Amino acid sequence: MSVIRKPESQPTEDTSARRKHRRRRTPQWLKRIRRFAQAVPWLSVLIILIAAVIVTGAVVSSVFSYALNRVQTSLGGFQRVVRDVGNAANGDFTLEDFDRLYSSVRDLQGSLGFAKSQTALLRPFRTVRPEIDDTLMLIDAADGLVNAADSMLNGMQPALSVLFGRGDDEVLTARISQGERLVERMRIGRTAFLRASEQLQTVRGWLDELTADSIPVDYLFYLNQLNTYYELLEQSNSVLLSAPELLTAAFGLGEQQDYLILSQNSDELRPSGGYISTYGWLSVRNGRVVEYGYSPPTATSPNPPPEDAVTEVTVPNWWIGYNSPVYAAWDGSWYADYPATAQMAMWFYDTGFNLHAPVDGVIAIDIFGFEAILAALGDVRIPGYVEAVNADNFREMIYTIRAEDGEHKAFLAALYTQIFSDWQDSISNAETNQRMLGVLLQALQEKHIMLYFNDPSLNESVQILGWAGNQAVTPQHDYLMTADANLGNKSNRSIIRQLAANVYIQPDGTAQNSVTVAYDYSRQTAENDPAVDEAFHGPLDYQNLLQVFVPRASILTGWENFDFDPVVDQTDTYTNFIADIVLEYDSSQQYEFRYTTPLVVEPVGSYRSYSLLIQKQPGTRGDLVNVQVFLPPGATLLDSSPEPTASYTIDQTIIEYDLTLRTDQWITVTYTP
């Protein structure tokens, strides 16, 4: 039987149906895509995309740079305004000064608003591009800081209307007797301060997310600046938040507060200000000084502690020797840290059961401070004395009376009492109070007046304000403070002291430093100084116990021009180099210490940051200081604060600063290793 087959070229009916079915599965749009893909020149497209990425990156970088440059300009302006207002001298605080501060904040808000608007289109891409997210977070953090500053200023407005009055010439005048109203107005502003606290908390979260390794290196300076401004605003706002409670305590609004006053003779310099020539006390109740008095110190005034209390005073073996060491706690403090001196004086006064003991705080004021107050008050007339006392003849009268009858301390006590009396009587005089406010603020900033309280919260606040006279040694930062102790005469007004420091930063982050202390004691200056008189005020030669404070664990490697080897006192806080020197009348001398520090450089991402704090000795006018910072070989300077006097490269980069030490000074250098 034969089988008839269909030709192989002719598909069966089932096979044809299956093929038609497969053809129906291919969509027309896919066919078009395939045809388009075959027609597109992909190499050209790739080139275009790469170019687009490059152009987009350039645009993004340009937008960020332009926006942040606007912010940087405003930050610089804001910083200058704050510095100018803070350094205003002789009471020149007007409403215009505060308006400038507001205007600066508003300008910064405008710049940040511009930066945010310029970068608004990039915000949807912040989850895709980490560098975009970090840079936008920088701008947001800056915006949060300036908004917090604005909130703080707004919160202060109610208090300003009480603390400061508005005169015809728009000069701010202090009304020191309105403590209760001031506290009430500070409480009104608390809502704004709490809002600032929330804004700062948000900013802290953003800044914590940003690290030196994550943000673009070009913006690292912005991050460092924002962290600095955050610390300043956070500390200031904490004072404002606690101000009602602190002022209630300080002004005696809850209960009377009694303060010991130490009148320091800065012509006879001591590490924390000067020899205590007179002492006084004042009582404050309901924001007013209700009682006050001054007395000359003697062996029994103020009453000393009982003799068995001497064991509580441990005098270093390199300090002044006392027949009765307990008196070192009163007029012979070796501390350059004023709170430590105040604590000992308070202990001496309270343990001796003196008037109004135990006291609630200690206020120190030196001759420069009293001269400033006299300049604000004008002539002061003391009963029993013909000639009025003013800032111009103050020292002349003291030393004339001392030479003639030795009753200068009684005169000083009467003068200081009269100063407080005249001050109280002049409260209603807006012009006098305006001048007084200015000189008091300046004296507090320059350590001619210093404050110490029993209340730790009050002490924390005055430290933030810079009114405590405390030594602020910090780990991982370089530190320098020079303190003289005049052991024989009253010549310090006629002696010019200058400092020169050379800092050689090492690749490992330590430093090899040298500090030179130079003295110029010229006859030409001293002959016109009433305090320099061999017959009445001590020998002409200057006998001095010099202390130089540097970072903890520093190693003294050499010294020059000392008759005896310096003493090295290592503490948990600092290292202290101590030397006895004698400067002959009408001569000049230089003394040098060389030492190696521990780590004083902080890594900041790929950068390095070196900071040096130079602290002023209380009781001094303001030493001239020259600092030269030598970067490690091959390092490149990126930024410096303050602006250096000069910067040059001779095998390595050298940055030079010329400063006047009227207040404490920070030097910060950022570099690449």
Side-chain angles (χ1 to χ4, degrees), residues 557-577:
T557 58
W559 55 88
E560 296 291 340
N561 208 27
F562 295 108
D563 293 331
F564 303 98
D565 292 350
V567 174
V568 179
D569 183 19
Q570 294 280 7
T571 74
D572 294 336
T573 307
Y574 51 71
T575 299
N576 188 7
F577 304 141

Side-chain angles (χ1 to χ4, degrees), residues 427-553:
I427 287 176
S428 59
N429 187 314
E431 184 178 352
T432 301
N433 274 299
Q434 181 269 325
R435 293 196 303 268
M436 187 67 73
L437 172 65
V439 300
L440 289 176
L441 289 175
Q442 184 180 5
L444 285 164
Q445 291 294 337
E446 296 183 359
K447 301 185 185 180
H448 298 309
I449 298 176
M450 297 175 290
L451 309 176
Y452 177 80
F453 299 94
N454 259 340
D455 187 332
S457 298
L458 281 171
N459 282 330
E460 183 179 354
S461 295
V462 297
Q463 285 188 18
I464 291 173
L465 293 168
W467 301 347
N470 60 300
Q471 285 188 271
V473 189
T474 53
Q476 296 183 323
H477 292 139
D478 207 348
Y479 179 78
L480 177 62
M481 182 178 185
T482 300
D484 279 0
N486 186 330
L487 304 182
N489 62 21
K490 302 181 186 302
S491 60
N492 282 102
R493 184 72 72 102
S494 293
I495 296 175
I496 298 174
R497 185 178 70 180
Q498 299 185 54
L499 307 178
N502 292 330
V503 178
Y504 294 85
I505 300 176
Q506 303 301 300
D508 63 358
T510 62
Q512 294 181 1
N513 294 355
S514 67
V515 172
T516 300
V517 186
Y519 297 91
D520 183 15
Y521 185 15
S522 73
R523 179 190 300 270
Q524 184 177 4
T525 302
E527 283 179 340
N528 298 316
D529 187 347
V532 181
D533 188 327
E534 188 172 21
F536 300 104
H537 308 147
L540 292 179
D541 292 346
Y542 179 48
Q543 184 178 352
N544 176 38
L545 187 62
L546 169 64
Q547 298 182 67
V548 175
F549 299 89
V550 297
R552 182 181 64 84

